[in-house]
């Protein structure tokens, strides 16, 4: 498998073509956070909204445009964190960041199990410029969580 | 007449990328590679002649000053200017900001009566075009914020050419500055300088030309173009990073207050007031990029030896291959005018949008083949927006670019739609 | 502990001047010579990794970006800062102008509410000292012109030390900015940073430190100094010309509007408005001095390997020879405090006035012996005036300066009065 | 003779110590011009006043401070042009400029005769930074002449 094929694995292509969670929805919850992030290299943007129900990530929806890596990444993010606990979501977030920093080498089995489909992004870690693309949605998610929890206090 | 193969002069071009693939460097519009002559000139300066310029009475200071001023004269001659009409800057962006910032300073009272002619304010207009690089748009837009003047612009048509039908309504008696690019870094279109300058003169507006994409690729003569100011960069014309230049008519440079203040630019300083030297010194406060000036002059010499007419002809051939080639690929759209062998208003680059494929993904496929192209908005968000896309993939050549390089781009691009499953 | 002899690392020092005389380079305060490690780092970058930074998806762009950001991290660590607190500039002058210009822009409405905290105007005061280099005086003086604020200054005493008795009356609740030099390029005096910063904090003023003469010669830690901004230059710390840096607290850099506008610094640009990136990018429009950043990092690495404590101790020995030596010559006056082996507030230089002999004539005698010293006002007209002279002759050392170099200066200086027939 | 001794010939030292024409005087003439020049390298200044009487340079006086080269140079200037015709003054000015550009080599006999004492400045031509010093007074003279003749029209 060439580096290029390793980067654009079928899973990624599929998520890019049919992204999950696209289209901002009203979670109908009290704890809602939203974040808008821009990849300044190319102008790609994502707006992501999170609804929290206690310590559960009840809803993740987003809107945006970008390269296949950034779109597929938000899509798997949606699958990994929606309907999971905050703790699980944060573990997924950490594991994904580790994957990006692994320079294409992969992670230990525990973490890869945690990531599921998202391990397909392993090839992106070889390309520093593309890590930004893959992280765009996750940056928005992280920031949206902060916004949502602000309402707590 | 065939253009000489000069690749051996450029050490970087011998390197391989991505698992031993030969490098196809098509990102010269962003930054060019440097010939050994440039690197050697800088090194020779640093190893033999480095000293404080214009400030010491010792031998090294003398030698450094001599080389620095000789470099100025050479770069000036390269664009048809007099030596004292060239101000060194960090890059072209700084050169454009120098003019905008100085006008802002004049408007705030700096420079006093000597600079009063540059004052602008509410009711005055600053004019740019929709084809500008951010470097020749944002400084003017923010000068308008700063002074209360109004920013206006000449729109472009679907081909990226300036809509000259609008010239007379946009550039009017209220226009104080007309700033425009000589050649677009996205569509490659060369502006009708003569028409624009004529109109500016008619209404008494200053003209500021962005020469970033013309000076490295075409014969440029500021005297013939008859503009008031022109900015250009060292690193795009085979010179070092860290240096650019502003051409300005001497009388204007002498009356313009400094945009940036410091040592070496002043005559007399008290705690209360400062008087400035003449141009170019008044606009060169602080220790200048001296080794870089020497390198930029070596680049001008290198280009002159090739001959800028020959360079332009060479790049026209590249343009033909690139622009004709991409136009034949289904699902690929060329930004700017279609290739027309009769038209002479396009430089040697091609920016394309691939239907359904994001520029970043296009770039990745090219990079995998060792092709270095640029993806994104190329610091021209408004122009991309006007052309209906958010970004593009650009191939841009220089003297070391071969026709095979251009063909490699076209071939690789042709594989993109199917790779991403978007072929028609 | 003896400091290592590093002269072999500096190619230029092997050259001879004025009919084969060995070079005694004592103009490091103006600009330093560069070790091979710096020249090699730049060349290696240009020959192997040159590409557009932060803008391309291709391998060279990736490598160039990586090296550029690694250089930032290294230079940041050298002065005790975080990487995102360092902005690259053309030189220290540009760094100081960046802060002054951005405050001026904020005051003109640029940056909107986000930057409102930086707005100044009539009734506000900007404070400097009488010991400033023009680069840290004129930008503030002209910011006062631009905004209607008032410039005030802390005077110096006959020894060139700040008159701290005046501190509380000069720096008051009206003071918005306190800008001062870390070490004087004329008297060599090190400012009492702690006292000045404490007073600035008391009144809520921003502190701007001119680190041009401290960073190359002393251990400097911005976190410990607790200043808001600090400017320094590459070429004075054994690095390339064409680059300097501004340290700023991240939160301040993020809120400060740009002083200079262009590509790479922006988030979204329309013809009407622009939004900026975070720092440091928002303050780095245009193509940056990339090879020079890599060279400046190599210089920081070179100095760190020697150890800045050892460098400072070495230069203190030079100071002792220079300052004690010149004081013994009849008719020669040392500017700044007499040498006192107990005092720790002087860096390794000596500027002198010779009774009845103009600095240019002094410099000529030195130059004839192969000694490169600096003559004139060293961009400090107000300080010279305060000390009762219009200019001086300065010897300033660096890591490659030997004690013999310092002695050669003293010996040559001793011949000056009789050569010009003004001996007592 | 070393380069240094060639530069600081006795004539120059003498003129520097006792400069001629120092102290601005009122020429009591109609055509008067004055110019102030600064050597920005070192801050040296000269203010020079010229009084014309028809085509005769009737009076040259000046004030200023500077290095021995700049002071001696204004002093010989005074001697060369005061009480000479405008044409003679301009020839002297040209010859002095030629001497400065001769890189320490001297000029042909005619010109050296014309310059007299001023040929002692030959050594200055080897030092680009010092040429500015030697030319300071001449720049002022040239400019003052322009000012004086403005009143003609
Ligand atoms: C104390 C001081 N401040 C500022 C500067 C200006 O530095 P640069 O010329 O590198 O901008 C210098 C050096 O000339 C200096 O010595
Ligand atoms: C048309 C145009 N103008 C301005 C610039 C800015 O030049 P620099 O980055 O060298 O300041 C560029 C290059 O990026 C350009 O292509």
């Amino acid at each position: 498998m060439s580096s290029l094929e390793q980067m654009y694995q079928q899973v990624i292509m599929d998520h890019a073509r049919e992204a999950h969670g696209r289209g901002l929805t009203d979670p109908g919850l009290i704890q809602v956070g939203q974040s808008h992030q821009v990849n300044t290299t190319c102008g790609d943007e994502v707006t992501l909204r999170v609804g929290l129900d206690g310590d559960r990530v009840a809803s993740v929806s987003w809107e945006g445009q970008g390269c296949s890596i950034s779109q597929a990444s938000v899509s798997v993010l949606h699958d990994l964190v929606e309907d999971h606990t905050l703790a699980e979501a944060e573990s997924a977030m950490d594991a994904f960041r580790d994957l990006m920093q692994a320079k294409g080498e992969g992670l230990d089995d525990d973490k890869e199990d945690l990531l599921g489909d998202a391990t397909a992004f392993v090839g992106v870690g070889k390309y520093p410029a593309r890590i930004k693309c893959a992280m765009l949605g996750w940056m928005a998610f992280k920031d949206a969580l902060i916004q949502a929890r602000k309402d707590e206090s | 007449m065939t253009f000489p193969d000069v690749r051996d002069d450029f050490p970087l071009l011998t390197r391989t990328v991505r698992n031993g693939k030969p490098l196809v460097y098509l990102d010269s519009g962003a930054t060019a590679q440097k010939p050994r002559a440039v690197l050697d000139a800088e090194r020779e300066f640093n190893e033999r002649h480095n000293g404080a310029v214009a400030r010491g009475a010792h031998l090294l200071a003398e030698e450094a000053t001599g080389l620095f001023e000789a470099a100025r004269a050479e770069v000036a001659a390269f664009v048809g200017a007099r030596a004292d009409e060239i101000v060194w800057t960090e890059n072209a962006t700084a050169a454009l900001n120098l003019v905008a910032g100085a006008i802002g300073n004049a408007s705030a009272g700096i420079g006093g009566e000597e600079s009063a002619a540059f004052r602008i304010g509410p009711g005055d207009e600053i004019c740019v075009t929709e084809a500008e690089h951010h470097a020749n748009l944002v400084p003017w837009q923010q000068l308008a914020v700063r002074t209360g003047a109004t920013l206006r612009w000449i729109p472009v048509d679907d081909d990226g050419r300036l809509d000259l039908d609008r010239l007379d309504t946009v550039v009017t008696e209220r226009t104080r500055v007309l700033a425009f690019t000589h050649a677009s870094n996205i569509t490659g279109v060369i502006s009708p300088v003569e028409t624009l300058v004529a109109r500016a003169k008619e209404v008494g507006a200053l003209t500021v030309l962005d020469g970033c994409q013309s000076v490295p690729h075409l014969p440029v003569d500021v005297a013939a173009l008859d503009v008031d100011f022109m900015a250009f960069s060292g690193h795009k014309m085979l010179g070092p990073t860290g240096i650019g230049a502003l051409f300005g008519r001497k009388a204007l440079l002498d009356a313009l207050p400094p945009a940036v203040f410091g040592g070496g630019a002043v005559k007399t300083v008290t705690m209360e007031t400062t008087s400035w030297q003449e141009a170019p010194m008044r606009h060169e406060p602080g220790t200048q990029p001296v080794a870089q000036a020497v390198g930029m002059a070596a680049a001008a010499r290198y280009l002159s030896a090739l001959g800028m007419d020959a360079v332009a002809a060479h790049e026209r051939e590249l343009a033909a291959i690139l622009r004709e080639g991409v136009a034949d690929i289904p699902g690929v759209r060329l930004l700017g005018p279609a290739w027309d062998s009769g038209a002479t208003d396009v430089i040697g680059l091609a920016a394309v949008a691939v239907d359904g494929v994001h520029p970043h993904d296009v770039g990745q496929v090219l990079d995998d083949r060792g092709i270095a192209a640029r993806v994104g908005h190329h610091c021209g968000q408004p122009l991309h927006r006007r052309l209906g896309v958010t970004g593009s993939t650009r191939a841009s050549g220089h003297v070391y670019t071969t026709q095979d390089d251009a063909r490699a781009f076209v071939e690789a691009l042709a594989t993109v739609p199917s790779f991403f499953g978007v072929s028609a």
Side-chain angles (χ1 to χ4, degrees), chain A residues 20-87:
Chain A
H20 306 169
R22 194 194 282 275
L24 288 178
T25 57
D26 179 355
L29 294 162
I30 303 170
Q31 281 190 292
V32 175
Q34 182 169 314
S35 171
H36 174 239
Q37 297 287 327
V38 179
N39 182 345
T40 47
T41 320
C42 52
D44 287 354
E45 308 182 41
V46 66
T47 303
L48 186 143
R49 189 179 293 164
V50 172
L52 292 184
D53 185 3
D55 71 348
R56 210 173 54 90
V57 180
S59 136
V60 172
S61 64
W62 60 279
E63 212 166 66
Q65 48 155 358
C67 61
S68 52
I69 300 297
S70 73
Q71 302 299 289
S73 173
V74 206
S75 176
V76 300
L77 176 156
H78 170 270
D79 295 358
L80 274 175
V81 304
E82 194 178 61
D83 253 331
H84 284 75
T85 65
L86 267 173

Side-chain angles (χ1 to χ4, degrees), chain B residues 15 48 63 91 97 141 241 261 269 274 287 292 381:
Chain B
R15 73 163 279 182
R48 302 289 300 161
E63 290 183 2
N91 48 28
N97 275 274
Q141 181 190 77
T241 54
F261 310 100
V269 176
T274 297
T287 303
Q292 291 74 28
Q381 291 181 5

Side-chain angles (χ1 to χ4, degrees), chain B residues 55 285-288:
Chain B
R55 293 190 188 172
T287 303
Q288 293 296 294

Side-chain angles (χ1 to χ4, degrees), chain B residues 221-237:
Chain B
D221 183 320
V222 287
L225 293 172
D226 205 14
V227 291
D228 294 317
F229 297 98
M230 180 178 77
F232 54 112
S233 268
H235 69 100
K236 291 188 204 274
M237 55 177 269

Side-chain angles (χ1 to χ4, degrees), chain B residues 33-315:
Chain B
Q33 299 304 338
K34 297 138 201 0
R36 203 170 286 109
V38 166
L39 304 179
D40 286 349
E42 266 192 278
R43 181 121 193 180
E44 159 89 8
F45 177 84
N46 281 320
E47 294 198 343
R48 302 289 300 161
H49 311 292
N50 178 54
V53 160
R55 293 190 188 172
H58 58 79
L59 179 71
L60 286 173
E62 241 171 40
E63 290 183 2
T65 306
L67 291 165
F68 181 66
E69 292 304 333
R72 191 194 303 277
E74 258 182 295
V75 168
F78 185 66
V79 296
R82 280 177 12 203
D84 58 5
E85 295 178 323
I86 292 292
V87 176
W88 300 115
T89 59
E90 183 183 9
N91 48 28
T93 300
L96 294 163
N97 275 274
L98 192 162
V99 183
I103 293 175
N105 280 348
S107 309
I110 293 173
E113 279 318 301
E114 184 184 67
S115 305
F118 294 105
R119 288 183 196 150
I120 64 172
D124 289 327
E125 293 180 357
I126 304 163
C127 182
V128 295
T129 87
E130 214 177 3
E132 296 313 310
H133 187 281
H134 296 161
N136 200 27
L137 163 58
V138 188
W140 303 112
Q141 181 190 77
Q142 300 300 315
L143 177 62
V145 174
R146 181 175 167 185
T147 58
T150 303
L151 185 78
R152 301 195 64 186
W153 54 90
I154 305 170
V156 301
D157 65 20
D158 294 345
D159 271 353
R161 289 199 171 100
L162 296 183
D163 181 355
L164 292 181
D165 290 349
R166 302 287 303 280
L167 182 58
D168 288 0
T169 51
V170 174
V171 179
T172 69
E173 297 292 335
R174 284 188 298 278
T175 308
R176 302 293 307 281
V177 178
L178 172 58
F180 60 100
T181 195
H182 198 177
S184 163
N185 63 322
I186 296 166
T187 60
V189 167
I190 299 173
S191 299
V193 179
E194 204 174 328
T195 309
L196 296 172
V197 168
R199 177 62 183 160
K201 287 190 175 243
E202 221 166 70
V203 301
L206 291 170
T207 46
V208 182
L209 190 66
D210 176 353
C212 277
Q213 296 294 342
S214 57
V215 173
H217 304 292
L218 309 168
V220 169
D221 183 320
V222 287
L225 293 172
D226 205 14
V227 291
D228 294 317
F229 297 98
M230 180 178 77
F232 54 112
S233 268
H235 69 100
K236 291 188 204 274
M237 55 177 269
L238 315 182
T241 54
I243 190 154
L246 174 70
F247 154 81
R249 292 187 204 277
K250 179 73 160 93
L252 293 174
L253 288 179
D254 275 343
L256 203 62
V260 172
F261 310 100
V266 302
K267 229 183 222 167
T268 310
V269 176
T270 65
M271 294 307 289
E272 293 86 357
T273 67
T274 297
S275 63
W276 323 109
Q277 292 204 46
E278 284 194 358
M281 288 85 76
R282 65 159 54 200
H283 300 296
E284 294 179 348
T287 303
Q288 293 296 294
V290 187
Q292 291 74 28
V294 170
M296 188 164 170
R301 210 152 52 229
Y302 182 88
L303 284 169
S304 297
L306 288 171
M308 288 309 292
D309 283 315
V311 170
H314 167 67
E315 298 196 20

